[in-house]
Amino acid sequence: MTFTIDTYQNRYLAADSDRVDGILSVTAPGDGMGMAAAAAETVVGLIVDTSGSMAGARIEAAKQAVTSAINMLDANSTFFVVTFQGSAQVICPPAKATDGAKATAAGQIWRVNAHNGTAMSTGLQTARAMFARYPEAIKQAIFLTDGKNESEPTANVTIELQQCAGLFECDCWGVGTDWQVGEVQEIARALLGKASIIPDPQGIAAAFGAAVEKAKAKATRDVRLRIWTPVGTEVVFVKQVFPTIAEFTDSVEALSPQVRQYLTGSWGGGETRDFHVALRVRPGKVGEEMLAARPSVVYSVAGPSGWVEQEDKPPTARLFATWTADDTLSSRLDQHVAHYTGQDELAQVIQAGLERREQGDNAGATHLLGRAVQLADASGNADTTARLKKVVDVVDAPSGTVRLKSNVSKAASMDLQLESTTTRRARKGPGGAASDPGATT
Amino acid sequence: MTETLVCPTCGAPGNPGDRFCEIDGTPLIPSRQSSVAGRSDAPNEPLMTDDTQPATGCVCGLNQDDGDGYCVGCGHRLHADAPPARMPLPNDHIEDAPDDLLAAVTDRGVRHAENQDSFALSLQMIGDVRVPVIVVCDGVSSARHSAIAAAVGARTCHDALVESFVVRRPSSVISEGSSGISRQSPIIREQSSGIGDALPAPLTTDGGRRTTAQAMRAAILAAHEAICALDDAPGTSDLGPPGATIVAAVALPDRFLLGWVGDSRAYRVSNGASRALTRDDSWMEDALARGESAAEAIHSPYAHAITHCLGPLEEGTPEPNITEAPRTSGGMLLLCTDGFWNYAPDATLVAKLVQGLSRPDATALDHCRALVAHALAGGGHDNVTVAIAVLDAPHDAGAETIPAVAASIPEGHNERGAGDEPAPPSEETSDDVHD
């Protein structure tokens, strides 16, 4: 069983054109991966904010959620729990999730109290020290906070994240609405994870449960997208575009002038992620045909006697460039590229629109969020449309006519901001209809 | 005059008496091979301007195969053998001219790999009046089976028009409003001493009457149905379902009858002046109607996109544009696809082109060839088709020549739809000149 890569592009370029765009839809092997997941050594680390603001319902809900999450683990998984305020403590040292260890952990968690301020880098640093003991395992952190990182300089987190990146992955949650989306997203982005909002403490248990299920399903680690290109090719960008938008361009590892590699973390069996690759190639002459990119997937998979390193290079996974004088061929836009470019624009206008709203520029916010409604409607992204409707009243979706709501809950606005990078998958199969402006005679 | 009929898509010659290709069912068309200056049609010779076959070879000097036929250095395709030359297709260049006053030429152009334009035309007689029937179609290049769609569309519409106006008793098609009175009962036409009397008198399928506009609309919709009926399985193609434009003209004894869907056009050229009779179903026209400036709109990626066409690509039934105008004599009717008018974007230039490119005594075929050559010389970015009916004064509707074209074709008379408005009375009509 191997990774598969489906490619989507319009391979025809006008003479002198040097831009190649393609979508790589990468799917992890599904069959037989249940066993690999079970065999994979997994370390789950919970990093929990126990600052003074967590006191009361929040800390009680968090403690229950941590305990339930640990109880879901198999006996061959390892877990630990770190709490942090102004400094960090290891309240449950790393241990295999045996019944005995789970019981001991429950007691240790029960004794936790909330007090003092918030310095997130301390929690991350301590977790890193724990994860570092397991170089060969799948390492997944679950991070919870409720407030701003006010007890330390902002740079501390940025510096700490540079050490953590590539070592473990982390999904982050903010409970309530007093925390800063940007701070939490910085952690998630650096550690290949997602940032989400839990408006009400009762939701913490479900969020942690889902995170543990996801960690248990991981069967491959250190999955790298490796891309060969011809001499002289520049990468304009490499972005994940499904299930969320995530930038990979700057985290490139250049193995050689022609081979570049991007670390994407651990994948579950059967998981699919789509990537948009944009290249600048040496232009050819009309009639010339060139192999513009050859992607492959390099990863470690758990086998019966330990981890096995593997490279999957599907023979049909290739991006081409064919130069032509026929501009009906070169002017066509591949529908997958168009769809994800639209989803990317959608994410950007949501962010920009929310920023304008924060700044009090209602006219600007209305215009941008109207455009977002139009894009979400046109691409069938129903989840994003539903979230937008909590911030604007939609007069006419196809034309993007909206009115800002006067009363918008902070949670709804933060949720929209966090989920703006969640995309809808491009439809497979041929597209194009009379409504497609690409229909020229 | 015997004509060789060939299939426009597979090139097989038709058996005598066949109307459809026995291999793929495409309607057969007359074909007269003719070379156009500047392009070679010799078989087996690679066409220098053709770029659909990739060139071969490494460009970096390393020339090392990666195992799949591409160089590990520059990525260019490596080949041992030269690629096969592109075989010329029979519909790369087709001409038809029933006589000196009626002709059409279609050409693949310079850049496209296939000619997806088509035409169908014939010279009919109603009494002793020359009635040219011309249909021109342009297959949507981002759609499947475009060449067949255009050929089927043109042939189906042409045959339906001939059926309505000539084969059937003309009385079953009513010209309303020549004298301002709409006729309720069929009237035998004494002057239809030609084709009409020799045949039995079929009525329209519902036993009723139709206006000329309704007959044109029905003919275009028949073409639409024929394209929808094409056997179309997408397979792995990323092209859309079949689609084509259409422009059709019948020069009836008392009126010009035009119908169209898409951006293929008809012009009236007379006394050194010319104007468009059609208005494109295009994004550009919509933009101009919204008040955008042409200078800006031309830069939009949608600048050459059409808004309606025939076939399943339309996703519904298109509503044909119909227009009628009193028949005038002198000058010509010119029908064409965008592969021509993109090289003559201003309607008023068309007359100048006609004058400038041909001798005064040129035949319709000479005119068509000259205008097609003009488009090819300009770059030939698209398939190009030009059809011309010269309206000679003595043999036409018996009317006086109306000098100013603009004055005789009323503004705003273009209709979309069933054409239930009667044609305005023309000053010179006398009672014995009717359908």
Side-chain angles (χ1 to χ4, degrees):
Chain A
M1 274 306 301
T2 57
F3 273 81
T4 57
I5 305 179
D6 291 320
T7 59
Y8 302 93
Q9 62 158 153
N10 175 13
R11 63 191 288 173
Y12 292 103
L13 272 62
D16 297 333
S17 173
D18 60 1
R19 169 78 178 239
V20 172
D21 280 83
I23 304 296
L24 306 178
S25 185
V26 185
T27 304
D31 297 346
M33 282 296 122
M35 296 215 332
E41 193 190 354
T42 306
V43 181
V44 176
L46 293 118
I47 312 171
V48 183
D49 180 342
T50 55
S51 58
S53 51
M54 289 284 287
R58 285 180 190 170
I59 192 69
E60 293 313 313
K63 282 154 61 171
Q64 280 198 351
V66 170
T67 310
S68 312
I70 291 167
N71 286 341
M72 288 170 66
L73 292 169
D74 296 324
N76 69 335
S77 298
T78 302
F79 73 96
F80 64 85
V81 182
V82 166
T83 55
F84 69 91
Q85 324 76 35
S87 58
Q89 309 78 36
V90 182
I91 61 160
C92 303
K96 287 257 190 234
T98 59
D99 288 344
K102 289 177 185 178
T104 310
Q108 289 156 335
I109 293 162
W110 185 79
R111 282 188 279 277
V112 168
N113 286 318
H115 55 279
N116 291 351
T118 312
M120 296 178 185
S121 73
T122 63
L124 292 168
Q125 189 178 46
T126 306
R128 169 164 65 90
M130 300 297 107
F131 279 124
R133 301 183 197 172
Y134 302 89
E136 295 265 298
I138 289 175
K139 297 174 278 287
Q140 179 72 44
I142 298 171
F143 181 97
L144 178 74
T145 185
D146 77 325
K148 300 190 186 21
N149 196 30
E150 52 206 355
S151 304
E152 63 174 350
T154 338
N156 283 14
V157 169
T158 311
I159 292 167
E160 178 56 35
L161 286 173
Q162 284 166 4
Q163 307 280 324
C164 298
L167 178 63
F168 63 94
E169 289 164 60
C170 184
D171 283 325
C172 308
W173 280 269
V175 60
T177 57
D178 297 323
W179 49 283
Q180 265 245 349
V181 168
E183 285 181 346
V184 179
Q185 273 185 330
E186 186 190 357
I187 299 173
R189 282 189 183 135
L191 302 182
L192 301 174
K194 191 161 179 288
S196 313
I197 182 171
I198 305 174
D200 192 76
Q202 308 314 315
I204 301 177
F208 282 16
V212 169
E213 289 294 354
K214 190 175 138 197
K216 282 166 70 173
K218 301 234 186 210
T220 52
R221 74 172 163 85
D222 294 331
V223 178
R224 283 146 278 163
L225 181 63
R226 183 180 286 181
I227 304 181
W228 172 98
T229 53
V231 167
T233 303
E234 292 165 24
V235 171
V236 180
F237 62 77
V238 172
K239 282 190 221 201
Q240 180 181 298
V241 287
F242 175 82
T244 59
I245 297 178
E247 263 288 354
F248 282 92
T249 316
D250 294 334
S251 50
V252 60
E253 190 190 342
L255 302 183
S256 79
Q258 286 181 251
V259 180
R260 297 171 180 85
Q261 194 161 273
Y262 303 85
L263 178 65
T264 63
S266 321
W267 293 42
E271 204 189 319
T272 295
R273 303 184 194 180
D274 290 356
F275 298 86
H276 182 164
V277 174
L279 305 170
R280 194 159 291 121
V281 300
R282 290 210 181 131
K285 301 202 200 29
V286 165
E288 286 181 352
E289 179 186 327
M290 184 184 83
L291 180 61
R294 189 78 198 277
S296 58
V297 183
V298 182
Y299 59 102
S300 299
V301 61
S305 43
W307 292 100
V308 176
E309 173 103 349
Q310 202 156 305
E311 178 180 3
D312 291 340
K313 201 166 191 177
T316 53
R318 292 178 293 192
L319 294 180
F320 291 103
T322 301
W323 283 271
T324 178
D326 185 343
D327 53 18
T328 59
L329 290 176
S330 58
S331 63
R332 257 189 254 149
L333 202 50
D334 174 80
Q335 55 152 351
H336 286 77
V337 172
H339 172 81
Y340 285 125
T341 306
Q343 297 288 282
D344 196 33
E345 189 194 340
L346 172 58
Q348 287 173 29
V349 292
I350 290 177
Q351 299 281 355
L354 290 172
E355 256 173 66
R356 300 284 179 94
R357 192 175 153 271
E358 292 280 301
Q359 295 156 2
D361 174 8
N362 282 352
T366 306
H367 172 72
L368 288 163
L369 293 175
R371 173 78 179 134
V373 163
Q374 187 185 39
L375 285 170
D377 180 68
S379 63
N381 194 331
D383 288 342
T384 301
T385 300
R387 290 195 170 88
L388 281 163
K389 284 183 172 170
K390 297 195 176 142
V391 176
V392 296
D393 290 319
V394 177
V395 175
D396 177 56
S399 66
T401 314
V402 302
R403 271 190 308 264
L404 284 182
K405 281 191 193 293
S406 42
N407 274 334
V408 177
S409 82
K410 184 138 195 260
S413 148
M414 287 171 77
D415 183 45
L416 174 61
Q417 190 178 358
L418 288 159
E419 295 297 322
S420 63
T421 49
T422 301
T423 58
R424 191 187 148 279
R425 188 125 190 254
R427 271 181 295 246
K428 279 193 195 271
S435 56
D436 170 13
T440 54
T441 55
Chain B
M1 172 178 7
T2 54
E3 289 165 333
T4 319
L5 295 183
V6 294
C7 173
T9 45
C10 73
N15 299 322
D18 278 6
R19 286 183 63 201
F20 297 94
C21 175
E22 61 181 356
I23 295 170
D24 60 19
T26 312
L28 298 170
I29 55 174
S31 164
R32 275 192 230 159
Q33 290 300 332
S34 165
S35 61
V36 174
R39 213 187 68 188
S40 155
D41 283 338
N44 294 319
E45 229 178 63
L47 299 172
M48 295 308 293
T49 54
D50 179 73
D51 53 63
T52 53
Q53 294 300 324
T56 66
C58 159
V59 304
C60 71
L62 196 57
N63 209 20
Q64 195 179 323
D65 197 314
D66 66 351
D68 289 320
Y70 296 90
C71 176
V72 303
C74 61
H76 280 245
R77 193 152 135 208
L78 307 170
H79 269 308
D81 321 306
R86 177 186 171 278
M87 296 300 294
L89 294 169
N91 70 336
D92 279 356
H93 182 91
I94 294 177
E95 304 181 344
D96 189 21
D99 68 8
D100 281 354
L101 301 182
L102 178 61
V105 171
T106 183
D107 192 281
R108 172 173 70 88
V110 176
R111 295 298 180 87
H112 280 215
E114 183 187 37
N115 188 359
Q116 295 170 342
D117 278 3
S118 189
F119 67 81
L121 84 168
S122 63
L123 176 62
Q124 305 294 330
M125 300 298 294
I126 293 180
D128 54 7
V129 178
R130 294 167 53 86
V131 175
V133 180
I134 308 173
V135 183
V136 170
C137 287
D138 179 356
V140 172
S141 52
S142 55
R144 298 185 283 271
H145 314 306
S146 277
I148 298 181
V152 160
R155 175 57 49 186
T156 304
C157 179
H158 169 275
D159 292 354
L161 291 169
V162 171
E163 173 94 0
S164 283
F165 292 108
V166 179
V167 175
R168 293 209 181 121
R169 274 279 236 215
S171 58
S172 66
V173 179
I174 294 172
S175 316
E176 291 202 334
S178 296
S179 57
I181 300 167
S182 79
R183 299 177 187 276
Q184 301 301 320
S185 55
I187 292 180
I188 312 293
R189 302 251 148 267
E190 267 71 39
Q191 53 268 47
S192 306
S193 53
I195 298 169
D197 282 353
L199 296 172
L203 298 174
T204 57
T205 48
D206 62 357
R209 315 278 172 260
R210 280 201 295 207
T211 62
T212 48
Q214 286 167 341
M216 171 60 80
R217 180 173 182 274
I220 290 179
L221 292 180
H224 166 71
E225 293 299 320
I227 296 176
C228 290
L230 288 177
D231 190 16
D232 172 43
T236 54
S237 167
D238 62 350
L239 301 174
T245 71
I246 189 166
V247 60
V250 183
L252 293 166
D254 70 334
R255 69 189 63 193
F256 299 127
L257 172 64
L258 286 138
W260 76 95
V261 178
D263 66 351
S264 296
R265 294 183 181 174
Y267 296 89
R268 179 77 173 91
V269 179
S270 174
N271 288 339
S274 55
R275 56 169 277 152
L277 300 175
T278 57
R279 182 181 166 282
D280 297 340
D281 287 329
S282 69
W283 180 89
M284 175 69 91
E285 281 292 327
D286 286 356
L288 296 175
R290 281 198 301 269
E292 293 187 28
S293 85
E296 280 182 13
I298 196 73
H299 294 298
S300 166
Y302 307 151
H304 297 283
I306 52 175
T307 50
H308 294 286
C309 65
L310 306 183
L313 188 62
E314 173 78 355
E315 286 185 346
T317 307
E319 191 49 55
N321 305 284
I322 313 282
T323 189
E324 294 180 294
R327 179 166 174 164
T328 52
S329 44
M332 61 176 65
L333 275 181
L334 191 158
L335 272 63
C336 64
T337 59
D338 65 345
F340 169 71
W341 61 251
N342 269 316
Y343 292 99
D346 187 339
T348 60
L349 286 182
V350 175
K352 293 198 170 22
L353 269 180
V354 172
Q355 275 182 335
L357 293 176
S358 316
R359 306 181 311 275
D361 60 342
T363 64
L365 182 59
D366 293 334
H367 286 307
C368 289
R369 285 177 175 161
L371 294 176
V372 167
H374 165 79
L376 297 186
H381 281 82
D382 196 355
N383 312 136
V384 53
T385 302
V386 176
I388 288 176
V390 174
L391 302 164
D392 230 22
H395 303 292
D396 275 8
E400 294 163 8
T401 304
I402 294 182
V405 165
S408 63
I409 297 179
E411 190 71 63
H413 186 65
N414 294 355
E415 305 159 22
R416 289 185 77 92
D420 43 2
E421 251 176 79
S426 58
E427 301 88 293
E428 76 285 11
T429 298
S430 51
D431 272 341
D432 60 348
V433 178
H434 289 304
D435 50 333

